[in-house]
């Protein structure tokens, strides 16, 4: 694409953003490949870091077939979000979508709840990555060395032993879906980069949709050599840290040096992912501050013109929160693991909300979306919402034995209480939801019969924008 084409596309995107109620503050410089990378580059890390859960839950069958199952289910969510994002491409993301799709009586509260789910989710998912290229190297090393012995295809693709989990076989399999669900949990964060992307109505949906099959294939390539050379599971589960990936690589390679080399690759992938995730988290924080929904929003909504249009204050806020939460790891690994679980629960809930609202509206708001799911939209949306609801239940359950503790649901409710209190103290006085231009307010999605205060609200918002 030439510079002139870039300029023309960016001009259209700027006009479209203004129609959504925001002015262009960042430079559009990202393309689809960079957005897909944000979502998939951490597949090996996402699968490797919590692999103990899948080993406990049943081993190879859970690891490989659970990955494929979650990939298919997540594809329905990616398609659903891509459709909504194509019509509303803004860094505000899911909480903006909730506001535009919900009825006038419920949209303010819905967007507030969703916004806090989003920022808590992006802060904690970035934390989980930061604390704890490559496929070809791992594939060759594991397949060539196999110091712990080689496994037949019947074991690699068909062995299922849930005896370590303490759950019934069926439920044990589902508990083992936590690592793949964690790996794909940040798929919606692509939207938070919307205001830095050329032609976002086209590029963002493509990035969301294609990141799943590409990521799924990458995961299969990463997992198969592990499954065909997997050491004794009982030995791996005896690791005191609860993270057997290092021991697993050491046993397969037959030396500490070889094991460390492969572990270091996973660590490097995690670091690159941390950069991407932290970048997206800062944009989500900045967007929510721009709509006056977090404390000291005047400061955190500023863009630095001297640092390539980066929301530095929002980035610092996100980083400081991660550090403070990360300190909990020093005192309690169970508390730290709860933040990992709550990240997926918060992000999943924030993604499911606009899709569920869309379903309740009979999908009438998507008739003019640039990317449209057509007659399959209802089924795809319904499967996506049901999958997220089920995933939230999974992340509330003990990952190992039923007697173990899982504080994810407690942390999830705790953050919810904090956001509710902040709404009562401050939000209800200052938060009026995302802005509405007169042109967008006249569209069909705002001409709802249950909006007796629509005119007054519109005048108030126009006054605030001016």
């Amino acid at each position: 694409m030439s510079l002139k084409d870039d300029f023309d596309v960016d001009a259209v995107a700027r006009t479209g953003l203004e129609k959504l109620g925001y002015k262009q503050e960042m430079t559009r410089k990202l393309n689809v490949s960079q957005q897909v990378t944000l979502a998939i580059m951490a597949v090996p890390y996402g699968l490797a870091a919590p692999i103990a859960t899948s080993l406990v839950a049943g081993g190879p069958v859970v690891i490989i077939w659970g990955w494929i199952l979650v990939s298919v289910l997540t594809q329905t969510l990616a398609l659903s979000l891509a459709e909504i994002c194509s019509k509303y491409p803004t860094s505000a993301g899911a909480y903006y979508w909730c506001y535009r799709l919900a009825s006038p009586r419920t949209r303010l509260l819905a967007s507030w709840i969703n916004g806090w789910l989003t920022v808590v989710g992006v802060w904690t998912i970035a934390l989980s990555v930061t604390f704890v290229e490559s496929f070809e190297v791992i594939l060759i090393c594991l397949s060539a060395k196999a110091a712990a012995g080689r496994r037949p295809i019947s074991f690699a693709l068909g062995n299922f032993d849930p005896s370590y989990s303490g759950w019934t076989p069926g439920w044990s399999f589902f508990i083992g879906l936590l690592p793949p669900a964690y790996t794909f949990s940040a798929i919606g964060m692509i939207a938070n980069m919307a205001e830095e992307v050329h032609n976002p109505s086209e590029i963002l949906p493509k990035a969301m949709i294609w990141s799943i099959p590409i990521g799924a294939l990458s995961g299969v390539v990463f997992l198969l050599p592990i499954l065909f050379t997997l050491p004794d599971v009982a030995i791996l589960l005896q690791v005191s840290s609860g993270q057997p990936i290092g021991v697993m690589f050491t046993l397969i390679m037959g030396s500490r040096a070889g094991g460390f080399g492969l572990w270091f690759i996973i660590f490097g992938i995690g670091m690159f992912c941390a950069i991407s995730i932290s970048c997206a988290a800062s944009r989500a924080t900045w967007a929510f501050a721009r709509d006056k929904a977090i404390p000291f929003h005047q400061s955190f909504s500023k863009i630095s013109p001297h640092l390539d249009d980066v929301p530095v204050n929002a980035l610092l806020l996100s980083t400081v929160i991660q550090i403070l939460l990360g300190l909990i790891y020093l005192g309690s690994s169970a508390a730290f693991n709860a933040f990992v679980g709550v990240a997926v629960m918060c992000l999943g809930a924030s993604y499911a909300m606009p899709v569920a609202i869309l379903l309740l509206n009979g999908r009438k708001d998507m008739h003019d979306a640039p990317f449209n799911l057509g007659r399959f939209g209802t089924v795809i949306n319904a499967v996506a919402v049901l999958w997220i609801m089920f995933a939230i239940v999974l992340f509330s359950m003990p990952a190992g034995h039923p007697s173990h503790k899982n504080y994810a649901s407690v942390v999830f409710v705790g953050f919810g209480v904090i956001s509710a209190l902040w709404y009562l103290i401050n939000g209800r006085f200052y938060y009026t939801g995302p802005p509405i231009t007169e042109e967008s307010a006249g569209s069909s999605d705002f001409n709802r019969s249950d909006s007796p205060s629509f005119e007054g609200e519109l005048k108030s918002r126009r006054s605030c924008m001016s």
Side-chain angles (χ1 to χ4, degrees):
M1 182 180 290
S2 66
L3 291 177
K4 182 179 183 300
D5 291 336
D6 280 342
F7 178 80
D8 292 341
V9 169
D10 291 347
V12 173
R14 181 175 62 253
T15 301
L17 183 62
E18 291 172 353
K19 290 180 179 179
L20 296 180
Y22 299 109
K23 66 177 182 178
Q24 184 72 51
E25 297 184 71
M26 295 187 178
T27 302
R28 296 187 180 272
K29 52 186 178 293
L30 302 180
N31 56 40
V32 67
S33 62
Q34 291 166 312
Q35 290 297 289
V36 172
T37 300
L38 168 65
I40 69 168
M41 70 183 305
V43 166
Y45 177 88
L47 291 175
I51 197 171
T53 301
S54 293
L55 291 174
V56 169
V61 163
V62 178
I63 292 173
I64 187 65
W65 298 113
W67 169 248
I68 294 174
L69 173 61
V70 171
S71 297
V72 172
L73 292 172
T74 307
Q75 184 69 74
T76 64
L77 178 63
L79 287 166
S80 299
L81 297 180
E83 182 181 42
I84 302 174
C85 186
S86 71
K87 184 173 181 178
Y88 305 121
T90 167
S91 295
Y95 82 86
Y96 183 93
W97 303 339
C98 282
Y99 190 86
R100 294 301 299 261
L101 296 173
S103 70
R105 291 179 178 175
T106 61
R107 62 190 178 193
L108 194 64
L109 182 60
S111 65
W112 174 271
I113 293 173
N114 189 282
W116 277 101
L117 286 172
T118 298
V119 294
V120 170
V122 297
W123 290 339
T124 49
I125 199 69
L127 167 69
S128 70
V129 173
T130 304
F131 281 83
V132 260
E133 278 230 67
S134 305
F135 297 125
E136 292 81 1
V137 176
I138 296 174
L139 172 64
I140 294 173
C141 291
L142 296 183
S143 301
K145 196 68 176 178
R150 300 184 186 277
R151 299 287 193 173
I153 190 172
S154 58
F155 176 89
L157 302 181
N159 182 265
F160 178 63
D161 180 10
S163 60
Y164 297 103
S165 72
W167 298 99
T168 60
W171 190 248
S172 183
F173 175 85
F174 289 121
I175 292 295
L177 300 182
L178 299 183
Y182 167 70
T183 303
F184 281 134
S185 60
I187 180 66
M189 291 178 70
I190 293 175
N192 297 128
M193 308 299 293
E195 294 172 36
E196 299 167 78
V197 175
H198 303 297
N199 194 12
S201 289
E202 180 179 340
I203 285 182
L204 292 179
K206 286 182 179 179
M208 288 182 179
I209 294 168
W210 282 104
S211 62
I212 303 301
I214 296 174
L217 180 60
S218 302
V220 170
V221 171
F222 173 73
L223 291 174
L224 285 180
I226 293 178
L227 296 179
F228 276 100
T229 58
L230 189 68
D232 187 356
V233 173
I235 295 176
L236 298 178
L237 295 181
Q238 290 175 3
V239 177
S240 59
S241 66
Q243 297 290 344
I245 190 69
V247 173
M248 182 180 72
F249 283 157
T250 298
L251 293 175
I252 294 175
M253 295 302 295
S255 68
R256 290 182 179 273
F260 177 79
L262 293 186
W263 175 87
F264 189 78
I265 292 176
I266 299 298
F267 175 78
I269 294 173
M271 292 304 295
F272 279 109
C273 174
I275 295 172
S276 298
I277 291 292
S278 295
C279 180
S282 69
R283 271 56 174 182
T285 305
W286 165 76
F288 208 35
R290 179 176 57 178
D291 286 328
K292 304 178 181 180
I294 65 175
F296 308 106
H297 57 81
Q298 299 95 333
S299 176
F300 297 123
S301 61
K302 290 182 178 179
I303 298 292
S304 173
H306 306 294
L307 295 174
D308 199 22
D309 297 330
V310 173
V312 175
N313 292 345
L315 177 61
L316 291 175
L317 173 63
S318 178
T319 303
V320 168
I321 290 175
Q322 292 173 50
I323 293 174
L324 293 177
L325 294 178
L327 291 176
I328 296 176
Y329 177 72
L330 300 176
S332 172
S333 59
F336 178 80
N337 291 334
F339 285 115
V340 176
V342 82
V344 182
M345 295 169 68
C346 285
L347 289 176
S350 71
Y351 303 156
M353 279 183 65
V355 181
I357 294 172
L358 182 64
L359 275 174
L360 293 175
N361 291 342
R363 289 184 42 81
K364 60 183 179 182
D365 299 289
M366 288 296 108
H367 70 278
D368 58 344
F371 171 75
N372 191 277
L373 296 178
R375 60 180 178 175
F376 301 105
T378 299
V379 174
I380 292 173
N381 293 162
V383 173
V385 172
L386 290 175
W387 158 238
I388 293 299
M389 292 173 62
F390 185 59
I392 291 175
V393 173
L394 289 180
F395 273 84
S396 300
M397 306 295 291
H401 195 274
S403 62
H404 293 172
K405 302 295 184 181
N406 186 340
Y407 298 100
S409 58
V410 176
V411 178
F412 181 78
V413 173
F415 275 125
V417 171
I418 292 173
S419 68
L421 290 175
W422 180 248
Y423 181 79
L424 293 175
I425 296 172
N426 182 277
R428 62 195 178 108
F429 301 111
Y430 296 101
Y431 181 67
T432 56
I436 305 175
T437 63
E438 185 171 3
E439 180 177 354
S440 66
S443 62
S444 60
D445 55 334
F446 277 87
N447 291 332
R448 305 277 176 80
S449 59
D450 57 346
S451 179
S453 60
F454 170 75
E455 291 298 332
E457 182 181 31
L458 178 56
K459 291 179 181 178
S460 175
R461 292 181 184 281
R462 283 206 294 257
S463 176
C464 291
M465 289 180 63
S466 61

